[in-house]
Amino acid sequence: MAVIGAGWAGCAAAIELAQAGYKVTLLEAARTLGGRARRVDTDRAHLDNGQHILLGAYSETLRLMKLAGVERDQSLLTLPLQMRYPPGTGGMDFAAPSLPLPAPLHLATALFKAQGLTPQDKLSLARFSTTARWMGWQLDTDCSVSELLERFDQTPRLTKLMWRPLCLAALNTPPERASAQIFLNVLRDSLGARRRASDMLLPRTDLSKLLPEAAAAFIEARGGTVRSGAKVQGVHSIEGRLWQLDISGAAVGGTWSTYFGGVVLATGAAQAAALLHDIPEHDTAALCSQLTAFEPEAITTVYLQYDAATRLEQPFYALLDEPYNHHYGQFVFDRGQLDASQAGLLAVVISASGPAAAQPQELLAEAVAVQLAVDFQRPELGRPDWFKVITEKRATYACAPGLRRPSNDSGLPGLVLAGDYTAAANPAQTYPATLEAAVRSGVAAAALLKRSAVQ
């Protein structure tokens, strides 16, 4: 079996196939495994191409990490659900208790103790949670998140301080054009589920180590092969029974063709469309049209390095983003509290970052540093030793209402799709473009391929 693409979807599919006893060949065009959630080797330090938060609800991701031998407590910092702003910025301080209270009592306790919210705000949030549960977290017709919040009579302050940043973090799409149903799916599995499902999990290691490199070791230990720097240039169907892959790159010594009984196509949607378009043996026009219809959304992470003694009071904070005031940061993470080797390094995240990323990097980094200095009332934060701006231009796709997403089944025998852009078999389980969505898709693709191999 071949898996094209060693992002999180491809790694998940490869683990599942290897665990089932198949000899897997995992092919990745880049030198570093992880796809759009990977380590980046810069001239300053080893960084991630984006700061991520996982949730306790990411059941498949956590299962595969465990299967691949990743120690959860060593690799992830677990924090109770929270939305905390720097004191004095006009934000809020909402944090679920660390005590093992049953759901939804832990959220009720957090809401009761929350600071920076008026009684009307708290009542608005309680009404949202209650009504969503009563509705089964389902809408008859999808709409935008903004429309949903208006329908649920959410206060402007609660929308600004909680719902908008949550929507940006989860869907990487502004509320006014983000899918309310997909947002509800995420809220159901986090806020609306058992207490530990709402926990926030912050990576202590780089993203490539968190799963992709462990997946590679898992595959090789079971007789499989992992090749980075190996780009698949063409895919051909051979008599409806085999797939020929044309591969190039230094890792394969130039150009190489080989044959497989099954293929998981786990690249990004646009790359998948390019490969499928060139398969002369099948009509893939409709599928390719669907794959090229996704509108990309960027995520920018601004890394700021200070003296190693620099530290925030909490591992991360939400920030009030006001682009018209040149305040672009939405969340800031103290990387030193996650990895001692990164002491003094702060990572500031800007989701749906197209307008911000269009600025010169020096100006954006300066604006973010000044924002931190003002918000935390610490002038030294305005003067980092160095900065690095990393923008993943196609980090996700716009998660719009009613977005049509392809299934894992490509319609071609022995070839399946895997990626965060695919739809789950059960619409209620469809997630936005997150690590968990990618992993679930990889697992589903592997299951589909295994079933077709038995037939």
Side-chain angles (χ1 to χ4, degrees), residues 315-338:
F316 82 100
Y317 286 91
L319 302 172
L320 286 170
D321 66 317
E322 298 175 333
Y324 49 86
N325 284 331
H326 305 291
H327 284 196
Y328 300 104
Q330 296 156 0
F331 291 92
V332 57
F333 296 80
D334 185 345
R335 292 294 310 172
Q337 297 191 43
L338 304 173

Side-chain angles (χ1 to χ4, degrees), residues 107-118:
L107 293 180
T109 302
L111 184 59
F112 177 75
K113 294 184 176 181
Q115 300 178 7
L117 294 178
T118 68

Side-chain angles (χ1 to χ4, degrees), residues 27-28 39 64 120 132 185 201 230 239 242 254 341 359 402 408 425:
L27 302 165
E28 170 56 46
R39 179 181 63 250
L64 288 191
Q120 185 181 6
N185 288 352
L201 313 178
E239 297 180 354
L242 294 174
S341 69
Q359 298 190 56
N408 295 105

